[in-house]
Amino acid sequence: MIPKNKFQAPTGMHDILPPDQPYYQKLYSAAEGIVDFYGFKKIDTPILEDAELFSKGIGLSTDVVEKQMYALRTRGGDFLALRPEFTAGIARAYIEHGMFNLPQPLKFYSIGPLFRSEKPQAGRYRQFHQFNLEMFGEQTPVADAQLIQIFYNILKELKFKNLVVEVNSIGDSQCRPYYKKLLANYLKARESSLCADCRRRAKQNPLRVLDCKEEKCQPVKAQAPQIVDHLCEACKAHFKEVLEFLDELDLPYRLNPYLVRGLDYYTKTVFEIFQESESGEKSAALVGGGRYDALVKLLGGRDTPACGGAAGVERIVEHLRGAMKIEPGPQLQSKGIFLAQLGGLAKRKSLKLFEELRKAKIPVAESFGRDSLKAQLRSADRFQVPYALIIGQKEALENTVIIRDMKTGKQDVVKLDKAVDELKKQLKK
Ligand code: AMP
């Protein structure tokens, strides 16, 4: 015998039960409504991709690839990974389908699950969802600013208050290598003042030290050279323009020289959006993104400037749950009806009538599993429907049906084959 509760959802992965679904729906429909205005089209890519796509695209020495990727060898011998983020897969699709031949820019949005084997904690799961945006073939800094604005608008639409955008530029292949070396030398001289993780990062991926939250590393970070002081002319000009556009849009942003993001493919602009409490405490990041001008070429495509970002669905839903009560709502619209039956023959006739009602697009509830008419009419009351249709034994034999006005209790008997038309008339009143 299987012991009770032997099977549970895997650690860090969650069921989204029906009462929670309206919060997800609320987010998705608000977000889709907004991105549609900006010309984004939906794209779905497989949840599994060639593992090398991620190690190449995101970077071998990033936490996401090094520690958090779920990878598996298929029976056919392919080495696949559950996607830890959207961008690499969408860039792969962009290249694979020759989308660079289409008029640019191309704007895509995606919704779906991502997988990272992280230490589960509040707001950090192993399976989570993102609402993701990508823009390909767009070089102008307007795109970076607009992307930030779109995510900001989505959160505003969902009634988030006290939002803060943090931005930084992490340069490109012209200026970052020099800065990286400068930073690595600086860190090397202070190795003993760094946490164990950062000692490793200082060698492999020094920018990640700037991201460290450990108390021990803060004084080292505070004195570290800042990349904005070492940007090449092109990156500096791009960043300046992004900030000017953000000013123009009246977005409350601030510069965060420590914002480097966890994925290697970023170039130039990076950003995150948080909510701030009254006391100035930052929430976990709700949105993160940036520019990735080198990624498409790195993955085998043409040189294609691009930028994108992703909103963490669970973190937003968590907030919505606290901020607004969304009732799952009656399963029927108020114009719906309830279909009740009594006896075997009536049940058979009801099944057929139920299908006719569906074709006529009349919302209808039933309780075929119940035999007592009283219990069924109680259900009808609970659904607050204006009418119930009742087929009892007598009606089944006579091919008729009772239309009961649930408010007044008035009942009319009509022919079964006229029931749908008659109902339509009554519902129109
Ligand atoms: P990233 O893809 O790491 O840039 O993350 C973008 C957004 O996704 C973050 O700002 C979070 O809101 C969300 N996110 C990232 N990782 C997780 C996770 N493990 N669990 C829940 N949400 C996450």
Side-chain angles (χ1 to χ4, degrees):
M1 208 175 76
I2 298 171
K4 204 169 155 224
N5 280 349
K6 173 175 166 18
F7 296 115
Q8 292 179 350
T11 308
M13 303 191 181
H14 300 280
D15 303 307
I16 305 173
L17 300 176
D20 267 342
Q21 296 286 349
Y23 293 99
Y24 286 78
Q25 278 318 317
K26 171 127 191 129
L27 162 55
Y28 295 151
S29 57
E32 284 184 302
I34 288 175
V35 302
D36 178 62
F37 177 80
Y38 291 90
F40 284 77
K41 303 283 177 229
K42 191 168 190 188
I43 186 166
D44 287 315
T45 57
I47 288 172
L48 282 164
E49 295 272 1
D50 189 327
E52 200 191 337
L53 174 73
F54 300 118
S55 50
K56 200 164 176 152
I58 302 172
L60 259 180
S61 65
T62 55
D63 283 357
V64 169
V65 169
E66 198 179 42
K67 299 192 203 153
Q68 300 170 351
M69 211 156 70
Y70 288 95
L72 60 111
R73 175 89 48 202
T74 66
R75 264 172 270 201
D78 293 331
F79 191 47
L80 304 182
L82 284 169
R83 62 182 181 201
E85 56 101 55
F86 274 111
T87 306
I90 297 170
R92 193 261 315 130
Y94 174 84
I95 300 166
E96 184 174 337
H97 300 284
M99 290 195 247
F100 39 79
N101 290 319
L102 301 172
Q104 308 286 307
L106 292 181
K107 304 181 190 180
F108 300 117
Y109 78 91
S110 306
I111 300 171
L114 295 311
F115 303 84
R116 294 181 195 171
S117 177
E118 301 201 64
K119 194 164 147 227
Q121 48 189 291
R124 198 162 282 286
Y125 309 111
R126 290 185 174 172
Q127 177 175 337
F128 59 99
H129 297 74
Q130 285 183 344
F131 183 83
N132 184 80
L133 300 179
E134 312 288 356
M135 286 195 222
F136 290 95
E138 189 65 279
Q139 194 159 18
T140 161
V142 176
D144 313 35
Q146 210 173 35
L147 196 63
I148 296 172
Q149 190 193 23
I150 294 169
F151 281 115
Y152 187 83
N153 287 349
I154 292 172
L155 293 173
K156 274 288 188 204
E157 171 95 8
L158 294 169
K159 310 270 186 295
F160 275 78
K161 291 199 183 82
N162 304 327
L163 292 170
V164 182
V165 178
E166 290 192 349
V167 275
N168 193 19
S169 172
I170 56 168
D172 62 8
S173 58
Q174 286 296 308
C175 48
R176 201 175 347 163
Y178 168 75
Y179 171 72
K180 245 178 161 170
K181 220 177 265 166
L182 197 74
L183 182 64
N185 287 339
Y186 167 84
L187 295 172
K188 201 167 167 203
R190 288 154 188 85
E191 208 179 314
S192 56
S193 312
L194 294 172
C195 72
D197 266 348
C198 280
R199 255 174 263 154
R200 185 177 47 81
R201 287 183 190 132
K203 290 190 194 99
Q204 289 176 348
N205 202 349
L207 257 68
R208 291 301 314 232
V209 174
L210 300 178
D211 210 16
C212 182
K213 306 283 181 292
E214 287 288 325
E215 198 62 41
K216 189 170 180 195
C217 300
Q218 302 314 307
V220 184
K221 272 172 56 173
Q223 300 297 319
Q226 296 191 353
I227 188 150
V228 280
D229 299 326
H230 300 277
L231 295 175
C232 60
E233 283 311 312
C235 287
K236 205 188 286 174
H238 186 97
F239 193 41
K240 187 165 161 273
E241 278 192 68
V242 172
L243 299 183
E244 281 167 6
F245 289 126
L246 291 179
D247 283 330
E248 197 61 40
L249 293 167
D250 271 338
L251 282 179
Y253 72 87
R254 61 183 171 221
L255 301 178
N256 177 356
Y258 305 121
L259 182 64
V260 291
R261 317 264 305 122
L263 320 173
D264 275 0
Y265 53 60
Y266 286 112
T267 49
K268 297 187 175 143
T269 320
V270 287
F271 69 90
E272 285 187 337
I273 306 181
F274 304 87
Q275 192 174 34
E276 217 167 45
S277 70
E278 303 281 299
S279 59
E281 217 173 299
K282 259 184 359 186
S283 70
L286 301 167
V287 177
R291 182 162 276 283
Y292 50 92
D293 288 344
L295 179 68
V296 175
K297 189 158 185 213
L298 181 74
L299 296 178
R302 290 186 195 168
D303 220 349
T304 309
C307 55
V313 169
E314 278 75 8
R315 291 184 191 177
I316 294 173
V317 163
E318 189 58 42
H319 169 86
L320 293 182
R321 233 193 255 118
M324 54 180 82
K325 187 147 182 56
I326 310 179
E327 297 290 349
Q331 291 193 12
L332 288 173
Q333 296 144 19
S334 56
K335 285 253 157 174
I337 58 150
F338 190 91
L339 177 56
Q341 37 68 40
L342 194 68
L345 183 61
K347 202 172 278 195
R348 286 203 292 281
K349 300 218 159 162
S350 300
L351 272 178
K352 194 148 173 256
L353 181 56
F354 192 67
E355 285 307 301
E356 279 164 26
L357 290 163
R358 181 181 63 75
K359 283 182 206 150
K361 298 197 175 9
I362 299 175
V364 51
E366 45 71 29
S367 191
F368 290 133
R370 286 217 169 85
D371 289 329
S372 136
L373 193 59
K374 216 165 147 198
Q376 292 181 64
L377 288 177
R378 258 205 312 273
S379 298
D381 266 339
R382 214 184 51 238
F383 282 117
Q384 295 181 328
V385 291
Y387 295 101
L389 288 181
I390 306 165
I391 307 184
Q393 279 153 334
K394 179 165 172 282
E395 289 75 24
L397 285 171
E398 292 174 356
N399 269 328
T400 55
V401 53
I402 299 169
I403 302 181
R404 179 187 170 96
D405 184 324
M406 292 299 287
K407 242 197 207 132
T408 62
K410 183 174 166 283
Q411 303 197 147
D412 291 322
V413 179
V414 296
K415 280 276 171 210
L416 194 52
D417 56 3
K418 298 274 181 309
V420 171
D421 286 344
E422 190 53 39
L423 247 185
K424 274 189 187 159
K425 257 190 250 155
Q426 303 262 15
L427 287 170
K428 253 193 211 137
K429 278 186 204 161

